[in-house]
Amino acid sequence: MQTGVSVADGAITGTLKYLSSGSPVETWGEGNFLCLKFTNIDEDATSVKVGLSPSVSSGLVELINDPDKNGIFKVTDKDAQKFVVIQSNGTTYKRQEFSLSGLTCQTE
């Protein structure tokens, strides 16, 4: 699905393979998918929303009660989309954006 994916210094890099079958394709159609495991969540966070902006359909999704803290996201335009993480404790929030322009998206 992907190789060499890393998140550092406001950017996500690596290679996303093109998928034409499998569970993500059944839901979102063929394309390139980014899989991430979320760690380092603020201890006092009551909400953590993650996703691509702009998004094809899902927008930002709540992660705080997800038991495995894993996510899969369809990348449709690595140069226009950003990966967004918003953590909130009800009083304050922290927004992080990560560039996807360093990703290599394989084609069929």
Side-chain angles (χ1 to χ4, degrees):
M1 187 174 275
Q2 64 188 30
T3 57
V5 170
S6 65
V7 180
D9 302 322
I12 300 175
T13 58
T15 300
L16 306 182
K17 297 179 181 178
Y18 186 89
L19 298 182
S20 59
S21 64
S23 181
V25 173
E26 291 171 9
T27 302
W28 295 295
E30 295 182 6
N32 301 100
F33 294 87
L34 174 65
C35 299
L36 296 173
K37 173 142 185 91
F38 297 91
T39 60
N40 298 328
I41 295 171
D42 290 345
E43 289 182 18
D44 64 341
T46 56
S47 174
V48 179
K49 293 185 178 182
V50 298
L52 296 170
S53 177
S55 171
V56 171
S57 63
S58 68
L60 299 181
V61 294
E62 181 60 60
L63 178 75
I64 198 76
N65 293 320
D66 184 328
D68 63 12
K69 306 289 190 271
N70 293 331
I72 185 166
F73 309 89
K74 184 176 182 181
V75 176
T76 56
D77 186 341
K78 69 183 186 82
D79 295 318
Q81 290 176 299
K82 303 259 186 243
F83 194 85
V84 177
V85 178
I86 300 174
Q87 296 188 63
S88 172
N89 65 10
T91 306
T92 61
Y93 80 98
K94 176 172 63 173
R95 180 184 177 101
Q96 297 172 283
E97 288 188 1
F98 298 88
S99 170
L100 303 179
S101 62
L103 286 172
T104 298
C105 293
Q106 296 179 339
T107 59
E108 299 176 56

